[in-house]
Amino acid sequence: MYIIHIKLDSKTHKSGFVTIIGKPNAGKSTLMNALVGEKLSIVTPKAQTTRHRIFGILNADDFQIVFSDTPGIITPHYEMQKSMMKFVSYSLEDADAIICLTDPMDEKIEPEMVERIKKSRIPVVFVTNKIDEATSAQLEAIRQWYATFDFPYHTIEISALKSKNTIELLGMILQFMPIHPPYYDKEDLTDRPERFFASEIIREKILLNYRQEIPYSCEVIISGFKDKPEMNVVMAEIIVERDSQKGIIIGPKGAMLKKVGTEARIAMEEFFGKKVFLETHVRVIKDWRSNINQLKKFGYEN
Ligand SMILES: Nc1nc2c(ncn2[C@@H]2O[C@H](COP(=O)(O)OP(=O)(O)OP(=O)(O)O)[C@@H](O)[C@H]2O)c(=O)[nH]1
Ligand SMILES: [Mg+2]
């Protein structure tokens, strides 16, 4: 469990929404997991791992912060990516504070996004991540970039992976939280049901086991989820866009699908804290990523 050492001056309860935005792979999901103290969002070395807005709720006696993990900011090329970017936009509309995360070894957000943050007038912390790996020259280049901004902002340099300076970041964020009763039950960790995490865990294993376009062509649908006292029984469908992709997912004599299934089951058992029976099938839905009706069914349209 996470131990919070920050004490608020007043006894009054604070609560607010904090969106975490940035380019793909900046470490947004790693940071949200570190702040909340649970592995809610899946993390992989591949860009565009996160496809949805996912709430991670940090509860303490006198505050509740609702973090939004969001998809990395990209120029969308197909309907699914357009939906992903809408999730980023919505998260900015209701935020009490913004964390804009940058990997100093990778791309910066576009000037239009900086302008959008400026115009929003929402308190913003520009966070430089991965200080455990970045060189001092790379860190300095990011500092100089921040120095060009002509609006009020805060900055901090952290390592989300090593939890370095994350408590300090939390302290900064707390200053911006309005006095407000909690939005969610104090026991809640997220807004998402268990089956969402089951599908995300399978997607994480797909991202880690297949190359190139394959993981991006997959969606995971949980067609059955039974929470029994002794185990969770999970039925999952892996949706691909083409027959050839179905063959790749299954692999020779079903070996690849078996490997993904086993890895996902073990991760689910850890997440749910009980035994899991997992059954997976692969189904083709032609070009689902470009089909708005299909995307709605998969939860990509609000
Ligand atoms: N060295 C180092 N690696 C990190 C740090 N934070 C995250 N990473 C790594 O960066 C990669 C991407 O992390 P994610 O948390 O998935 O990044 P993201 O911004 O959520 O990526 P998308 O969901 O694709 O937009 C993973 O391999 C992480 O382990 C850090 O502080 N230091
Ligand atoms: Mg992510």
Side-chain angles (χ1 to χ4, degrees):
M1 255 331 268
Y2 217 74
I3 300 168
I4 295 161
H5 296 290
I6 298 162
K7 275 256 164 272
L8 293 180
D9 292 332
S10 137
K11 283 268 167 259
T12 320
H13 192 277
K14 288 184 157 195
S15 197
F17 288 81
V18 178
T19 183
I20 306 173
I21 60 165
K23 297 298 284 182
N25 232 25
K28 300 177 294 300
S29 300
T30 308
L31 176 61
M32 187 176 86
N33 292 343
L35 290 169
V36 175
E38 292 282 340
K39 199 195 163 199
L40 290 177
S41 278
I42 58 169
V43 169
T44 81
K46 290 208 168 81
Q48 295 178 53
T49 293
T50 305
R51 291 181 179 172
H52 294 270
R53 178 184 186 186
I54 302 162
F55 285 171
I57 306 170
L58 176 61
N59 292 299
D61 282 347
D62 41 13
F63 68 83
Q64 178 179 72
I65 306 179
V66 185
F67 291 101
S68 289
D69 183 18
T70 64
I73 299 164
I74 48 168
T75 306
H77 294 295
Y78 44 88
E79 291 300 326
M80 183 182 75
Q81 291 182 330
K82 282 188 198 162
S83 296
M84 286 159 62
M85 292 309 98
K86 275 191 210 159
F87 295 142
V88 178
S89 280
Y90 299 147
S91 80
L92 283 165
E93 279 165 23
D94 57 22
D96 295 295
I98 300 168
I99 289 176
C100 181
L101 198 63
T102 302
D103 174 345
M105 296 159 289
D106 208 340
E107 281 175 50
K108 306 198 259 306
I109 57 162
E110 288 78 12
E112 300 76 50
M113 198 64 200
V114 177
E115 197 55 28
R116 179 148 182 212
I117 293 169
K118 173 184 170 177
K119 285 208 177 114
S120 76
R121 293 171 178 268
I122 299 167
V124 54
V125 187
F126 284 97
V127 179
T128 307
N129 191 26
K130 308 196 186 181
I131 55 168
D132 55 300
E133 270 196 354
T135 64
S136 46
Q138 286 164 333
L139 292 175
E140 186 51 33
I142 298 295
R143 284 180 209 129
Q144 286 181 13
W145 175 54
Y146 296 154
T148 62
F149 301 164
D150 60 347
F151 57 96
Y153 63 91
H154 295 70
T155 67
I156 187 166
E157 295 175 350
I158 69 162
S159 168
L161 189 67
K162 313 262 178 201
S163 285
K164 184 150 191 338
N165 283 347
T166 46
I167 293 286
E168 287 76 2
L169 169 61
L170 194 56
M172 280 176 152
I173 287 295
L174 265 174
Q175 297 173 46
F176 309 127
M177 294 298 97
I179 290 168
H180 198 280
Y183 288 96
Y184 291 88
D185 194 290
K186 281 287 186 119
E187 301 294 313
D188 289 356
L189 266 173
T190 180
D191 61 326
R192 297 278 179 170
E194 286 184 315
R195 52 201 300 151
F196 173 78
F197 295 102
S199 70
E200 286 290 90
I201 288 168
I202 298 171
R203 220 164 49 72
E204 180 182 73
K205 302 310 171 199
I206 292 171
L207 277 153
L208 293 172
N209 278 287
Y210 300 94
R211 282 181 297 178
Q212 292 166 350
E213 204 45 26
I214 293 293
Y216 301 104
S217 309
C218 289
E219 179 64 18
V220 178
I221 304 301
I222 303 299
S223 47
F225 191 102
K226 279 206 192 90
D227 188 347
K228 295 186 176 177
E230 74 284 11
M231 68 158 79
N232 283 349
V233 179
V234 184
M235 303 291 165
E237 280 189 323
I238 299 172
I239 310 293
V240 290
E241 292 202 305
R242 287 191 291 279
D243 286 326
S244 58
Q245 294 165 342
K246 182 173 172 175
I248 294 169
I249 290 288
I250 294 170
K253 293 189 182 153
M256 281 304 288
L257 186 58
K258 190 166 179 222
K259 181 168 184 278
V260 166
T262 304
E263 288 177 17
R265 178 184 52 77
I266 292 166
M268 275 185 214
E269 286 178 344
E270 196 176 323
F271 186 83
F272 295 122
K274 65 162 95 155
K275 282 233 153 298
V276 168
F277 174 82
L278 171 65
E279 201 173 285
T280 47
H281 294 280
V282 188
R283 184 152 67 100
V284 180
I285 300 181
K286 248 188 155 331
D287 298 325
W288 66 265
R289 291 186 304 180
S290 308
N291 180 331
I292 294 181
N293 284 335
Q294 202 57 59
L295 287 165
K296 273 187 192 153
K297 283 189 201 154
F298 291 165
Y300 284 99
E301 295 285 322
N302 277 16

